[in-house]
Amino acid sequence: YGNDSALDYILGITKEDAPSLVGQHPPPLSAFKAEQDILLGHQPDQPENPKILRIAIIGAPNAGKSTLSNQLLGRKVLPVSKKVHTTRRNAQGVITKDDTQLVGIKNWPKHQLEKTLLYDPCKSLKNADLVLVLVDVSDHYTRNCLHPEVLKCLARFPDLPSILVLNKVDLLKKKFLLLYLVTELTEGVVNGKKLKVKSRVKPDSLTELTQENRKHVREKAKKGWPGFKEIFMLAATDREEVETLKRYLLKQARPGPWEFHSEVLTTQSPQEVCDNIIREKLLEYLPEEVPYTVTQRTEVWEEGPGGELVIVQNLIVQKETHVKMLVGSRGHLISKIAQEAGSDLMNAFLCDVHLKLSVQLKK
């Protein structure tokens, strides 16, 4: 590293590493972007009787909103990270099946690191037809009540149909707690009907849950929402439950023109997809505020000699210690980031990817 050189580590990802994907000859970035701009800019290819449903996905940080969105889309185009603001702008995922189109909007809460990232989580609900509230039941500290921002959004749009999705139920060791959680999060009312509770949670467990949440909810504070139409329970690794949710959403669509061409999967540009996927790995492997200070600069995006997509991106850091941190011992960390990011990019673009990352100290 220094003024004239960089630490470069390269890893090629080929379709032998992921035989389920079909290799294609990738166009240059300009062609990728031009095709996406055409699809987003022109009128959608409307079927004879189009139906549409605009879905706002909201929930506490780390509830699994990006993961669920990717599962519904069937491809990983949205980055996933336990840290906030994996992406720098709101993105939409688009699902088109037969004559029906689902447009999903994932929302990010406010965070103090960047003023440009301040975002009102209720904003997208203004144009939504349905709101999906996601709760991670494996999180001991947040599962016992809805996030205050979520409650605020639901209260602002009380007539907007809403559904509750309990995520990662397979990771909940005490399954009998699900009944208590459902009762708390819905205030005992679903689709206008009072829940008939035939069994009770053990007093010790109830006390435990209350203590878990004592820092987040004051006594007598509102915890749940009585306006949910349906409740879904998803396992972290079970695709079948996600398909059940997807079928339900498709049935909720109403007659109306499509907003996007049937070939559009996300409103992100190819460059944004690439940047966000690499950024996801930086957030995962670098501590605290370090990944937020890294500047990404794509130098090369072209077709290689074997038809693979060749991407070269420079990662520019602020301090010499950050260079050593990102490279890792003998280049182990940057190689791992390149491998994982390259695999995800191949999944997103459905072609072979040859990813080269270089780490440079800002001059």
Side-chain angles (χ1 to χ4, degrees):
Y1 60 92
N3 293 332
D4 302 316
S5 63
L7 291 166
D8 293 348
Y9 293 87
I10 184 167
L11 187 82
I13 307 296
T14 66
K15 58 175 175 287
E16 281 71 22
D17 297 315
S20 62
L21 296 179
V22 180
Q24 300 175 353
H25 293 287
L29 178 58
S30 58
F32 255 124
K33 187 177 186 302
E35 181 180 359
Q36 179 79 342
D37 289 344
I38 290 173
L39 291 176
L40 292 174
H42 284 60
Q43 290 295 324
D45 50 336
Q46 302 286 352
E48 186 175 350
N49 297 300
K51 291 185 289 185
I52 189 169
L53 184 72
R54 304 169 190 85
I55 309 161
I57 303 177
I58 62 176
N62 299 329
K65 297 183 289 294
S66 288
T67 299
L68 176 59
S69 298
N70 287 331
Q71 289 175 331
L72 290 170
L73 290 168
R75 298 248 295 278
K76 183 174 181 179
V77 295
L78 296 173
V80 179
S81 174
K82 292 182 180 180
K83 294 183 180 179
V84 295
H85 295 307
T86 312
T87 56
R88 293 176 178 270
R89 76 174 185 91
N90 214 348
Q92 292 175 289
V94 183
I95 299 171
T96 303
K97 183 175 177 59
D98 299 329
D99 61 353
T100 304
Q101 187 168 92
L102 306 179
V103 180
I105 307 171
K106 186 176 80 72
N107 299 274
W108 290 268
K110 295 180 180 180
H111 192 267
Q112 62 183 4
L113 282 175
E114 296 187 32
K115 293 182 179 179
T116 56
L117 293 177
L118 295 181
Y119 180 75
D120 179 4
C122 300
K123 186 177 180 180
S124 63
L125 271 68
K126 294 178 181 178
N127 297 317
D129 303 311
L130 179 144
V131 57
L132 186 158
V133 177
L134 191 63
V135 175
D136 178 3
V137 298
S138 70
D139 190 323
H140 297 270
Y141 298 100
T142 63
R143 68 188 183 190
N144 194 33
C145 67
L146 296 179
H147 192 280
E149 288 294 324
V150 170
L151 284 170
K152 184 172 73 173
C153 291
L154 293 172
R156 280 180 58 182
F157 300 91
D159 298 324
L160 182 64
S162 59
I163 62 173
L164 174 65
V165 177
L166 302 182
N167 197 22
K168 305 178 186 178
V169 295
D170 54 324
L171 302 181
L172 185 64
K173 295 180 179 179
K174 301 175 181 179
K175 302 299 182 187
F176 62 84
L177 292 179
L178 280 173
L179 178 62
Y180 168 78
L181 292 174
V182 168
T183 304
E184 287 291 290
L185 296 174
T186 64
E187 294 191 347
V189 179
V190 178
N191 199 24
K193 298 179 181 179
K194 199 164 185 177
L195 294 176
K196 296 181 180 180
V197 181
K198 295 183 180 180
S199 61
R200 294 183 179 180
V201 178
K202 296 179 182 180
D204 292 343
S205 300
L206 182 59
T207 303
E208 174 189 355
L209 281 169
T210 304
Q211 289 175 345
E212 287 171 0
N213 226 34
R214 65 183 181 274
K215 293 182 180 180
H216 301 276
V217 182
R218 293 182 178 179
E219 188 178 0
K220 296 184 180 181
K222 187 177 178 64
K223 293 184 178 182
W225 178 251
F228 291 119
K229 300 295 183 183
E230 294 285 348
I231 301 175
F232 292 86
M233 298 187 185
L234 305 182
T237 57
D238 192 345
R239 280 287 310 167
E240 183 57 35
E241 295 302 324
V242 174
E243 290 301 317
T244 300
L245 173 60
K246 188 175 179 178
R247 287 193 292 270
Y248 171 83
L249 295 173
L250 288 168
K251 288 182 180 179
Q252 302 311 303
R254 294 294 178 261
W258 286 358
E259 291 187 356
F260 299 97
H261 192 280
S262 59
E263 293 184 11
V264 171
L265 192 66
T266 175
T267 55
Q268 299 173 104
S269 70
Q271 181 69 67
E272 287 174 322
V273 172
C274 177
D275 287 349
N276 287 334
I277 284 177
I278 295 174
R279 187 171 152 82
E280 168 195 320
K281 307 305 175 185
L282 299 177
L283 286 164
E284 182 175 352
Y285 291 114
L286 295 178
E288 299 176 352
E289 79 286 349
V290 175
Y292 298 98
T293 65
V294 177
T295 300
Q296 298 170 248
R297 181 184 300 159
T298 298
E299 303 294 343
V300 176
W301 184 301
E302 63 186 15
E303 182 178 346
E308 72 278 9
L309 173 59
V310 177
I311 301 174
V312 178
Q313 185 169 108
N314 290 338
L315 304 177
I316 304 170
V317 298
Q318 305 289 326
K319 301 177 181 179
E320 184 174 325
T321 54
H322 293 175
V323 174
K324 296 178 180 179
M325 191 182 300
L326 181 51
V327 172
S329 177
R330 298 183 180 180
H332 174 74
L333 181 56
I334 193 66
S335 295
K336 187 174 184 179
I337 290 174
Q339 182 178 19
E340 294 184 7
S343 181
D344 287 347
L345 287 169
M346 186 169 63
N347 177 272
F349 297 138
L350 295 181
C351 67
D352 292 344
V353 174
H354 200 68
L355 175 63
K356 180 179 180 179
L357 298 178
S358 68
V359 182
Q360 295 181 324
L361 180 64
K362 185 177 181 180
K363 296 179 181 180

